[in-house]
Amino acid sequence: MADPKKNEYDIDATLVRQLADILNDTDLTEIEVERGELRVRVAREVTVSAAPVAYAAAPAPVAAAPVAAAAPAAMASDPATIVARSGEEVKSPMVGTAYLQASPEAPKFVQPGDKVKKGQTLLIVEAMKTMNPIQAPRDGVVAEVLVGDAQPVEFGEPLVLLEA
């Protein structure tokens, strides 16, 4: 006979500890497990030392959430891999996944050679299941798209190169 004091939603402390150990071992910030209707989410707060970024032209409010600490994009140390670029780099304001089009069957937002206007969407960076449009900071011509579709990106990583 089932224990009448035991609720079907009682949390197994051992499971929570195991999930916390997985977070620590893998440097994840969040893990979620679902069993039937019971869902357990274990998260840890990570402080980020990067300066906050203002999203003045974001079409929807962006909820502040803890994210994994990200190092700025690394510079290539091998002289053979360093390429001189002219133009303005549009950098990622967050850690996330870059998408070059709104959906897999949609056309790309921009391609090299396209003329863009200030505020035009160049690509999207998904972070915490929120789609954040990355907009052109000024009028110009797309010289190069520096990331691939569905590619993970770091804070400060160059995404697009704009020329006058």
Side-chain angles (χ1 to χ4, degrees), residues 65-130:
V67 294
M75 294 290 291
S77 58
D78 180 10
T81 62
I82 297 174
V83 177
R85 291 188 176 130
S86 63
E88 178 181 353
E89 292 178 336
V90 178
K91 297 180 180 186
S92 180
M94 65 196 73
V95 174
T97 304
Y99 292 102
L100 303 180
Q101 58 224 34
S103 66
E105 61 277 346
K108 291 183 178 179
F109 289 109
V110 295
Q111 295 186 25
D114 287 354
K115 291 182 180 179
V116 295
K117 296 284 185 189
K118 180 179 180 176
Q120 181 178 337
T121 300
L122 302 173
L123 53 91
I124 293 173
V125 173
E126 176 196 5
M128 305 289 287
K129 298 187 181 187
T130 301

Side-chain angles (χ1 to χ4, degrees), residues 8-156:
E8 67 178 283
Y9 296 111
D10 282 345
I11 304 299
D12 180 3
T14 305
L15 172 64
V16 174
R17 284 188 184 98
Q18 289 173 341
L19 293 173
D21 288 341
I22 291 171
L23 284 180
N24 290 331
D25 293 345
T26 60
D27 289 331
L28 293 172
T29 57
E30 177 179 321
I31 191 167
E32 188 171 321
V33 174
E34 195 169 328
R35 289 185 182 162
E37 292 183 22
L38 177 66
R39 189 165 70 181
V40 177
R41 180 175 158 260
V42 178
R44 64 183 169 135
E45 190 170 320
V46 178
T47 57
V48 179
S49 60
V53 179
Y55 298 98
V62 178
V67 294
M75 294 290 291
S77 58
D78 180 10
T81 62
I82 297 174
V83 177
R85 291 188 176 130
S86 63
E88 178 181 353
E89 292 178 336
V90 178
K91 297 180 180 186
S92 180
M94 65 196 73
V95 174
T97 304
Y99 292 102
L100 303 180
Q101 58 224 34
S103 66
E105 61 277 346
K108 291 183 178 179
F109 289 109
V110 295
Q111 295 186 25
D114 287 354
K115 291 182 180 179
V116 295
K117 296 284 185 189
K118 180 179 180 176
Q120 181 178 337
T121 300
L122 302 173
L123 53 91
I124 293 173
V125 173
E126 176 196 5
M128 305 289 287
K129 298 187 181 187
T130 301
M131 300 299 178
N132 302 283
I134 306 303
Q135 300 172 340
R138 60 173 175 79
D139 292 356
V141 176
V142 176
E144 188 177 353
V145 177
L146 304 170
V147 294
D149 192 44
Q151 175 182 327
V153 295
E154 297 291 329
F155 172 79

